[in-house]
Amino acid sequence: MSEVVTIKSAEEIELMRESGRLLAQVFAMLDDFVKPGITTMNINDKVEDFIVNELKSRPASKGQYDYQYCLNTSLNEVVCHGMPKEGEVIKPTDIINLDITLEKNGYIADSSKMYVMPDANPLARKLVKSTYEAMWEGIRQVKPGARLGDIGYAIQKYAETHGYSVVREYCGHGIGQEMHEAPHVLHYGKANTGMLLKEGMTFTIEPMINQGTAKIKNKRDGWTVVTRDKKLSAQSEHTVLVTPTGYEVLTYRKEEVLPRIG
């Protein structure tokens, strides 16, 4: 990944808005589809069909780093990079993160959403809610002249105040014509440190928050990352643009009640 941050032109921003708008439609479709009894491979196949045939776009994760699926399906103690499986059936008590990328007209949007099954326990629901709110604490820091450390500090403070830990091995990233561009966007850190944010930057904010300790381990499949203590993990992610006065969430979904533009 290049260390040079790509500032997007007005034309590029419009293309990224379109990719983000289309990706939000994928999650809207999934809202009625994801339920107990279906497999994670059912989700993968549904998403690929919808992106390719309905949205006339490309699932950008498929083929990236030799990954063969179009999304990550991370259940319960899986922190990230869970792979869809034919025999992995969603149970009524599960929580699951669906992390999806979409490319349209050469530009990529990246977002993830937690889906909570009907019999998930209150502690699981609280983790999911707090993770989503921690992401928004980070997003609210975005404006020209702010620093990357402000984002990480806000997320870490919110998560730890609520009794959770922040995974440190994975971070947000710049995004545009490439899935992973500069800068790295950490979800922990010190306020007023790090790179200055400038109008036209586009990057993801995607904290992974653990119920227990922040320690993780990789499974033998080479992809799946799980909590070391087997406690639950949750993630929320949006693609964000730095605007002249603040931020715009390019992957904003219609059901969200928080402001798209700050």
Side-chain angles (χ1 to χ4, degrees), residues 23 58 79 95 133 160 166 175-176 188 219:
L23 182 50
R58 182 178 73 86
V79 175
I95 60 173
E133 291 169 350
E160 293 179 352
V166 179
I175 189 168
Y188 62 92
K219 297 188 81 170

mmCIF file of all heavy atoms in Angstrom, residues 23 58 79 95 133 160 166 175-176 188 219:
data_model
loop_
_atom_site.group_PDB
_atom_site.id
_atom_site.type_symbol
_atom_site.label_atom_id
_atom_site.label_comp_id
_atom_site.label_asym_id
_atom_site.label_seq_id
_atom_site.Cartn_x
_atom_site.Cartn_y
_atom_site.Cartn_z
ATOM 1 N N LEU A 23 -23.718 0.119 -2.193
ATOM 2 C CA LEU A 23 -23.391 -0.814 -1.117
ATOM 3 C C LEU A 23 -24.438 -0.754 -0.005
ATOM 4 O O LEU A 23 -24.803 -1.790 0.566
ATOM 5 C CB LEU A 23 -21.993 -0.514 -0.565
ATOM 6 C CG LEU A 23 -21.477 -1.439 0.535
ATOM 7 C CD1 LEU A 23 -21.614 -2.907 0.165
ATOM 8 C CD2 LEU A 23 -20.032 -1.099 0.874
ATOM 9 N N ARG A 58 -19.290 -4.848 -9.062
ATOM 10 C CA ARG A 58 -18.357 -5.943 -8.792
ATOM 11 C C ARG A 58 -18.146 -6.107 -7.302
ATOM 12 O O ARG A 58 -17.894 -5.118 -6.598
ATOM 13 C CB ARG A 58 -17.012 -5.655 -9.467
ATOM 14 C CG ARG A 58 -15.977 -6.754 -9.298
ATOM 15 C CD ARG A 58 -14.684 -6.406 -10.031
ATOM 16 N NE ARG A 58 -13.931 -5.350 -9.365
ATOM 17 C CZ ARG A 58 -13.051 -5.557 -8.368
ATOM 18 N NH1 ARG A 58 -12.833 -6.791 -7.920
ATOM 19 N NH2 ARG A 58 -12.397 -4.543 -7.842
ATOM 20 N N VAL A 79 -13.549 -12.285 15.141
ATOM 21 C CA VAL A 79 -13.268 -10.845 15.140
ATOM 22 C C VAL A 79 -13.424 -10.274 13.734
ATOM 23 O O VAL A 79 -14.034 -9.221 13.537
ATOM 24 C CB VAL A 79 -11.844 -10.597 15.674
ATOM 25 C CG1 VAL A 79 -11.467 -9.118 15.576
ATOM 26 C CG2 VAL A 79 -11.719 -11.094 17.107
ATOM 27 N N ILE A 95 -24.816 -13.583 16.876
ATOM 28 C CA ILE A 95 -24.594 -12.274 16.266
ATOM 29 C C ILE A 95 -23.603 -12.500 15.126
ATOM 30 O O ILE A 95 -22.734 -13.362 15.209
ATOM 31 C CB ILE A 95 -24.062 -11.217 17.256
ATOM 32 C CG1 ILE A 95 -22.708 -11.643 17.865
ATOM 33 C CG2 ILE A 95 -25.091 -10.959 18.357
ATOM 34 C CD1 ILE A 95 -22.047 -10.557 18.717
ATOM 35 N N GLU A 133 -21.913 2.530 18.310
ATOM 36 C CA GLU A 133 -21.770 3.882 18.860
ATOM 37 C C GLU A 133 -20.310 4.317 18.907
ATOM 38 O O GLU A 133 -19.999 5.494 18.670
ATOM 39 C CB GLU A 133 -22.405 3.923 20.252
ATOM 40 C CG GLU A 133 -23.928 3.799 20.206
ATOM 41 C CD GLU A 133 -24.564 3.563 21.565
ATOM 42 O OE1 GLU A 133 -23.820 3.299 22.538
ATOM 43 O OE2 GLU A 133 -25.800 3.630 21.647
ATOM 44 N N GLU A 160 -13.635 1.495 26.022
ATOM 45 C CA GLU A 160 -13.111 1.117 27.331
ATOM 46 C C GLU A 160 -13.973 1.638 28.466
ATOM 47 O O GLU A 160 -14.104 0.971 29.502
ATOM 48 C CB GLU A 160 -11.661 1.596 27.455
ATOM 49 C CG GLU A 160 -10.728 0.849 26.491
ATOM 50 C CD GLU A 160 -9.286 1.294 26.560
ATOM 51 O OE1 GLU A 160 -9.007 2.306 27.258
ATOM 52 O OE2 GLU A 160 -8.433 0.650 25.916
ATOM 53 N N VAL A 166 -10.359 -2.842 22.591
ATOM 54 C CA VAL A 166 -10.236 -2.538 21.160
ATOM 55 C C VAL A 166 -9.149 -3.414 20.544
ATOM 56 O O VAL A 166 -8.003 -3.424 21.011
ATOM 57 C CB VAL A 166 -9.881 -1.056 20.936
ATOM 58 C CG1 VAL A 166 -9.740 -0.746 19.447
ATOM 59 C CG2 VAL A 166 -10.926 -0.150 21.569
ATOM 60 N N ILE A 175 -9.284 4.497 0.977
ATOM 61 C CA ILE A 175 -9.984 3.689 -0.021
ATOM 62 C C ILE A 175 -10.352 4.564 -1.212
ATOM 63 O O ILE A 175 -10.573 5.773 -1.065
ATOM 64 C CB ILE A 175 -11.244 3.034 0.606
ATOM 65 C CG1 ILE A 175 -11.867 2.002 -0.348
ATOM 66 C CG2 ILE A 175 -12.251 4.091 1.062
ATOM 67 C CD1 ILE A 175 -12.920 1.135 0.314
ATOM 68 N N GLY A 176 -10.405 3.959 -2.366
ATOM 69 C CA GLY A 176 -10.751 4.694 -3.587
ATOM 70 C C GLY A 176 -10.702 3.743 -4.766
ATOM 71 O O GLY A 176 -11.493 2.820 -4.860
ATOM 72 N N TYR A 188 -7.472 3.249 18.188
ATOM 73 C CA TYR A 188 -6.988 3.599 19.517
ATOM 74 C C TYR A 188 -5.924 4.664 19.323
ATOM 75 O O TYR A 188 -5.445 4.875 18.198
ATOM 76 C CB TYR A 188 -6.396 2.372 20.229
ATOM 77 C CG TYR A 188 -5.205 1.788 19.504
ATOM 78 C CD1 TYR A 188 -3.900 2.198 19.813
ATOM 79 C CD2 TYR A 188 -5.370 0.859 18.480
ATOM 80 C CE1 TYR A 188 -2.815 1.683 19.121
ATOM 81 C CE2 TYR A 188 -4.287 0.342 17.790
ATOM 82 C CZ TYR A 188 -3.017 0.761 18.120
ATOM 83 O OH TYR A 188 -1.942 0.258 17.424
ATOM 84 N N LYS A 219 -6.944 -18.567 12.974
ATOM 85 C CA LYS A 219 -7.240 -19.980 12.797
ATOM 86 C C LYS A 219 -6.398 -20.551 11.657
ATOM 87 O O LYS A 219 -5.797 -19.822 10.864
ATOM 88 C CB LYS A 219 -8.733 -20.172 12.540
ATOM 89 C CG LYS A 219 -9.598 -19.717 13.718
ATOM 90 C CD LYS A 219 -11.047 -20.088 13.550
ATOM 91 C CE LYS A 219 -11.295 -21.534 13.924
ATOM 92 N NZ LYS A 219 -12.750 -21.839 13.984
#
